[in-house]
DNA sequence: TAAGTTATTCTACATTTGTAGAAACACATT
DNA sequence: AATGTGTTTCTACAAATGTAGAATAACTTA
C-alpha cells in the first residue's frame, strides 16, 4: 500500500487518534487545515482503498485505521532500502550512522537499543 | 526535492552511472524498459527541475545528476522520521531494530557499524 | 416543525504523473 | 545526396492527486 501525501497526512492524524469522528479529525489536523470537504474526500478515498474503516453509532461514524502505522512504515522503509541501497541493510545503517545524520548522543542511544535487542534475542 | 517514482527510477540509474549518454541510460534501465521516448520525457522533466544537467560534446549530451543521492535520500529519511516518529531518532532506531526488520546477523553488523562510528568520533 | 449545524456524497476541475507516438534534428553510411 | 539511426522536443492523453463547492441527509435546537 502506497498512499499519496495528502492521504498519508490523514492517516497520520488517524493513527494518532486511533479512532475518531469527523470533527475530531478536523480538529486534530495541522494548520493550515484544508477545507472540510477536502478531508471528507480523502477519507472517502481511503475507505475505498480499505485503509480506513468505521463503526456506526446510530448514524454517526467513528473512523479507524485499517492498516497499522508500523506495517505501513515498515513497507515504505523496505522499499527505500531496496532502491537506494540495493537491499543492503548494512549499507543503509552505515549511511544512517555516518554523516550528520545522528548526533553523538543519538548514536549512543542507538547502540544501547541495538545492544538490548541483541540481548533480547539471545534468549 | 521530492521526485515521483518514475523520475526517481531514472535518477537511480543516473546515480549509478554517475554520467551517461542517452543510450547508456536506456541500456542500464531495469526490465521492463519503458519506451525510449518515455525515458526522454522523464529526462526532460528532471532537467526542468534542475535535478539533472548535461555537458555537450559537440551535439551530443552527457547527462549527470545535479542532486546527490545521499542528500536526496537523507531528506527523504528526515521527512519519514519526522512524520512517523515525531522526530525521534530513538523511536526510529527502536522500530528499525526490533520486529522482523533485521536478521540476527544484520543486527550484529549494525552494532559493529555503530561501534566503529562511535569510536571514530571519540577522537 | 422550521432553521441551523454537521457529516457525507457528488461533481468538478486544475495539476501532476506515467506513458508514448510523431516530428524534427543531427550524424553516419551507402 | 538519400537513407537509416539515435536524440531530443512536442504533443497527447489517461490516470492519479489535491482541492473544494453544491447537494443531500441527518441531527440539534429554538
Amino acid at each position: 500500500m502506497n498512499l499519496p501525501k495528502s492521504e498519508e497526512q490523514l492517516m497520520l492524524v488517524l493513527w494518532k487518534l486511533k479512532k475518531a469522528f469527523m470533527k475530531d479529525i478536523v480538529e486534530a489536523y495541522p494548520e493550515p487545515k484544508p477545507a472540510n470537504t477536502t478531508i471528507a474526500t480523502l477519507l472517502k478515498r481511503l475507505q475505498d482503498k480499505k485503509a480506513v474503516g468505521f463503526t456506526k453509532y446510530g448514524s454517526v461514524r467513528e473512523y479507524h485505521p485499517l492498516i497499522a502505522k508500523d506495517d505501513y512504515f515498515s513497507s515504505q522503509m523496505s522499499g527505500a532500502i531496496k532502491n537506494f541501497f540495493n537491499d543492503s541493510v548494512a549499507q543503509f545503517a552505515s549511511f544512517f550512522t555516518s554523516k550528520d545524520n545522528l548526533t553523538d548522543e543519538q548514536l549512543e542511544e542507538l547502540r544501547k537499543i541495538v545492544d538490548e535487542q541483541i540481548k533480547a534475542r539471545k534468549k
Side-chain angles (χ1 to χ4, degrees), chain A residues 6-73:
Chain A
S6 60
E7 287 169 25
E8 207 173 270
Q9 177 56 65
L10 176 26
M11 287 308 290
L12 284 172
V13 171
L14 207 50
W15 275 320
K16 176 168 291 180
L17 300 178
K18 293 194 174 55
K19 50 185 184 165
F21 297 99
M22 182 62 187
K23 69 174 172 56
D24 302 320
I25 296 177
V26 173
E27 195 181 335
Y29 238 79
E31 298 295 347
K33 296 185 204 294
N36 223 292
T37 47
T38 297
I39 295 179
T41 299
L42 297 176
L43 210 39
K44 188 94 205 310
R45 290 180 183 167
L46 284 167
Q47 289 171 69
D48 294 345
K49 291 181 185 176
K50 313 285 184 204
V52 164
F54 61 81
T55 314
K56 258 190 163 165
Y57 286 109
S59 71
V60 195
R61 298 176 181 184
E62 186 180 50
Y63 297 97
H64 58 261
L66 286 182
I67 58 182
K69 178 174 166 180
D70 271 13
D71 291 344
Y72 182 76
F73 187 73

Side-chain angles (χ1 to χ4, degrees), chain A residues 62-102:
Chain A
E62 186 180 50
Y63 297 97
H64 58 261
L66 286 182
I67 58 182
K69 178 174 166 180
D70 271 13
D71 291 344
Y72 182 76
F73 187 73
S74 194
S75 83
Q76 297 297 299
M77 267 317 96
S78 320
I81 292 175
K82 179 171 305 205
N83 283 330
F84 289 85
F85 300 100
N86 358 283
D87 242 332
S88 156
V89 175
Q91 255 189 82
F92 173 74
S94 187
F95 163 84
F96 205 70
T97 54
S98 61
K99 311 203 74 186
D100 323 306
N101 295 309
L102 295 184

